[in-house]
Amino acid sequence: METPKTTTGAILFCVVGAKMSEGINFSDDLARCVVMVGLPYPDRSDPELIQKIDYLNKRQQTEVEMKHKQEAISNGSSFLGAAPSSSLLSSSKPATPNGSNAGNDYYENLCMRAVNQSIGRSIRHVNDYSSILLVDQRWRTKPRVQSQLPKWIGDQVRHCESFGAVVRNLREFFVSRISK
């Protein structure tokens, strides 16, 4: 694609996961702002996704059980007499030490991969720039979601309380870029 000599502006609306959000580069002046409304979580009722999440959780459950067996054996206990943590083994959502589970991690990673893929369409090289507006309260209320952004983006996130604050931040961003 060639950048037009005179630019009057344009808006392109895309659906996350479709061709425009994953297959085409919009470097330099072709995209200076990306607005992502919502978080593109996959459909939880998709039978294939349900099976994958169930498989990952069962595999994790088996790994947790094996770890407890190995710990019991290394401690010299008979595994039959040593009861592993019942909260870990009886849960339908097995947890890792940090409280997550493999199925939910996978589900969240599918969403964040789509987010990162989409916002990356507009920043294609080291000297390129684009503002990125993430419009969903979960970016603020769920720190784990924001932590899955690339560090170079996550470090620049600003939470705005009003539309006026968004406009001020955008203006500051573009003035700082144009003056370079």
Side-chain angles (χ1 to χ4, degrees):
M1 279 184 156
E2 224 176 279
T3 305
K5 301 297 179 218
T6 57
T7 306
T8 57
I11 297 176
L12 174 65
F13 292 94
C14 304
V15 175
V16 173
K19 180 178 252 177
M20 296 299 275
S21 67
E22 294 183 7
I24 299 176
N25 296 331
F26 294 99
S27 62
D28 302 318
D29 288 334
L30 292 177
R32 291 296 185 207
C33 183
V34 173
V35 180
M36 172 140 323
V37 179
L39 286 165
Y41 283 103
D43 179 5
R44 269 272 199 196
S45 64
D46 175 24
E48 197 172 311
L49 180 61
I50 291 169
Q51 289 295 313
K52 178 73 173 189
I53 289 172
D54 188 45
Y55 166 77
L56 291 169
N57 285 338
K58 285 178 181 174
R59 189 175 102 192
Q60 183 179 21
Q61 180 74 24
T62 301
E63 290 171 2
V64 169
E65 290 171 0
M66 291 302 294
K67 181 180 177 193
H68 285 288
K69 285 180 186 179
Q70 290 170 348
E71 286 173 0
I73 291 168
S74 68
N75 290 336
S77 305
S78 163
F79 184 71
L80 295 174
S85 169
S86 60
S87 64
L88 280 178
L89 297 179
S90 63
S91 172
S92 62
K93 296 180 179 177
T96 59
N98 67 5
S100 66
N101 72 62
N104 282 343
D105 288 350
Y106 174 74
Y107 181 69
E108 201 166 87
N109 288 338
L110 287 174
C111 171
M112 293 310 298
R113 185 179 318 136
V115 167
N116 291 326
Q117 189 72 335
S118 295
I119 62 179
R121 299 297 93 209
S122 64
I123 304 172
R124 303 308 299 164
H125 56 81
V126 70
N127 295 318
D128 205 358
Y129 65 91
S130 178
S131 60
I132 301 166
L133 305 179
L134 303 169
V135 185
D136 191 300
Q137 69 180 353
R138 291 171 288 187
W139 291 105
R140 179 185 296 250
T141 60
K142 294 186 174 188
R144 181 174 155 92
V145 173
Q146 185 175 321
S147 73
Q148 291 188 37
L149 288 170
K151 185 172 175 21
W152 60 275
I153 293 175
D155 289 347
Q156 302 296 316
V157 170
R158 296 182 189 177
H159 296 284
C160 297
E161 296 294 329
S162 67
F163 181 70
V166 171
V167 172
R168 276 190 303 281
N169 278 294
L170 282 172
R171 184 178 188 289
E172 288 173 19
F173 173 78
F174 285 110
V175 165
S176 73
R177 293 297 174 175
I178 293 170
S179 63
K180 286 184 178 181

